[in-house]
């Protein structure tokens, strides 16, 4: 007889309600009976999977837009998001992955033409104070990192992080010995510095001195190859972004910055040399070079011309060849206009 009466499927609202109740249970963690606790956590895993199925479909059927809207509204109505974030470390790996997919999808859901998650996050920015320090916890770092990048999709969240002390801590996160965590932190760092153009330009202008001092000393001059490679690539991306033009001019007008780039040409890795070239060409293209930069370039003229004459990449690239030819032409025509500028031996490039 029992098989004749199938249980009624849960509505999206009911799924969120029951998920919230079990998250409260998981957060308090007051259950002393191991079997009972396992049953509750197993049910929570099923509910999170059910939310994922509502949002993504089941492989045979596409997600229903009305069901997605109901789930989204209910999810952000109370403290479900907060509870899910703080309970993630208590979930098994598979459930964490499902929860991450749910959170990522919800960031993109529109209800009646409005980005519900964006409005919610704007009023609850302190969630990032939970997520970002997760890089110091190897067990949860990658999960919190993935969720952080989804949240940074919202400009208000990115601005909050950029203006916080979290930005200074990223220079440590990127250099964590664990490769996977360091790479994830680098991905989040890049997202913060490239996604929202106007917000990034404002941040770099206001924080130029301390930011690039840390960037140069900790990342570009790092002893770690991966750190240097990512750093010089991201530097090029930032400086070549049109909205950062004022920052770019300031950066390429600094002799100290140019010395760092010239020294990076000594790197044995061709990848770093190529990415360095894409930044160094901005120093050469600057039509308002300070006298001290001109002096160093002229002092090193023969070595630079020889270096770039032999500098090639493994594939045909017309743009690279054109850029290289322009750099060589510009260096060849440079002359010292201010003879008071001192030579700089530590900026020389080895032949």
């Amino acid at each position: 007889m029992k098989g004749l009466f199938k249980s009624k499927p849960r509505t999206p609202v009911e799924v969120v309600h029951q998920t919230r109740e079990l998250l409260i249970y998981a957060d308090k963690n007051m259950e002393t009976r191991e079997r009972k606790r396992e049953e509750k956590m197993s049910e929570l895993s099923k509910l999170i999977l059910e939310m994922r199925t509502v949002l993504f479909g089941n492989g045979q059927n596409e997600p229903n837009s009305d069901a997605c809207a109901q789930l989204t509204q209910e999810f952000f109505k109370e403290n479900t998001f907060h509870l899910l974030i703080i309970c993630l470390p208590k979930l098994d790996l598979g459930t964490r992955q499902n929860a991450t997919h749910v959170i990522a999808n919800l960031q993109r859901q529109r209800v009646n033409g409005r980005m519900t998650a964006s409005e919610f996050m704007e009023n609850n920015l302190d969630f990032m104070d939970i997520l970002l320090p997760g890089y110091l916890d190897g067990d949860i770092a990658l999960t919190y990192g993935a969720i952080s990048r989804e949240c940074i999709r919202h400009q208000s969240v990115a601005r909050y992080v950029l203006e916080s002390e979290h930005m200074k801590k990223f220079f440590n996160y990127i250099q964590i010995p664990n490769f996977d965590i360091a790479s994830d932190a680098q991905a989040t760092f890049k997202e913060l510095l490239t996604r929202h153009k106007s917000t990034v330009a404002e941040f770099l202008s206001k924080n130029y001195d301390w930011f690039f001092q840390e960037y140069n000393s900790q990342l570009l001059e790092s002893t770690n190859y991966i750190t240097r490679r990512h750093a010089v690539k991201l530097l090029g991306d930032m400086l070549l972004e049109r909205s950062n033009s004022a920052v770019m001019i300031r950066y390429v007008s600094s002799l100290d910055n140019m010395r760092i780039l010239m020294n990076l040409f000594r790197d044995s890795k061709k990848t770093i040399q190529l990415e360095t070239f894409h930044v160094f060409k901005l120093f050469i293209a600057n039509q308002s070079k300070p006298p001290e930069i001109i002096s160093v370039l002229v002092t090193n003229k023969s070595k630079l011309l020889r270096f770039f004459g032999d500098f090639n990449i493994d594939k045909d690239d017309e743009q690279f060849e054109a850029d290289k030819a322009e750099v060589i032409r510009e260096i060849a025509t440079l002359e010292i206009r201010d003879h008071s500028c001192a030579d700089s031996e530590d900026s020389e490039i080895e032949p």
Side-chain angles (χ1 to χ4, degrees), residues 86-121:
I86 61 176
C87 288
L88 276 172
K90 301 176 182 179
L91 305 179
D92 62 68
L93 181 59
T95 304
R96 286 185 196 176
Q97 292 174 340
N98 286 332
T100 302
H101 285 298
V102 167
I103 292 171
N105 186 290
L106 288 171
Q107 304 303 314
R108 299 168 172 80
Q109 288 288 338
R110 290 184 179 273
V111 180
N112 298 324
R114 300 169 65 181
M115 293 286 288
T116 305
S118 184
E119 295 176 5
F120 175 85
M121 294 300 297

Side-chain angles (χ1 to χ4, degrees), residues 100 102 156 192 267 286 346:
T100 302
V102 167
S156 60
L192 281 164
D267 200 292
N286 181 12
D346 63 342

Side-chain angles (χ1 to χ4, degrees), residues 10 15 45-55 71:
R10 289 179 283 216
V15 171
S45 295
K46 292 177 183 177
L47 285 163
I48 291 174
L49 176 59
E50 196 166 339
M51 285 196 291
R52 177 175 177 170
T53 303
V54 170
L55 294 170
L71 191 148

Side-chain angles (χ1 to χ4, degrees), residues 307-349:
F307 175 82
F308 287 120
D310 296 334
F311 185 47
N312 295 298
I313 56 178
D314 297 330
K315 59 181 180 179
D316 293 334
D317 187 328
E318 292 183 3
Q319 185 60 56
F320 167 75
E321 293 298 335
D323 289 344
K324 189 178 79 166
E326 183 60 32
V327 166
I328 290 173
R329 185 161 47 249
E330 183 70 25
I331 292 174
T333 58
L334 282 175
E335 295 180 356
I336 295 179
R337 294 189 295 270
D338 183 355
H339 293 278
S340 66
C341 292
D343 291 351
S344 180
E345 294 182 1
D346 63 342
S347 292
E348 291 187 353
I349 295 180

Side-chain angles (χ1 to χ4, degrees), residues 143-201:
T143 301
Y144 275 2
I147 294 172
S148 294
R149 286 190 294 282
E150 291 297 333
C151 293
I152 289 166
R153 293 172 61 88
H154 307 296
Q155 192 162 8
S156 60
V157 178
R159 182 181 294 109
Y160 174 77
V161 177
L162 287 168
E163 294 176 352
S164 73
E165 289 297 306
H166 293 300
M167 281 306 292
K168 294 181 179 179
K169 295 176 182 177
F170 264 101
F171 291 101
N172 296 322
Y173 299 155
I174 290 170
Q175 299 180 81
I176 287 174
N178 182 293
F179 173 78
D180 291 334
I181 296 176
S183 297
D184 195 278
Q186 171 64 38
T188 306
F189 189 62
K190 179 180 179 181
E191 186 77 359
L192 281 164
L193 292 167
T194 56
R195 174 170 282 274
H196 303 286
K197 313 301 184 188
S198 60
T199 301
V200 171

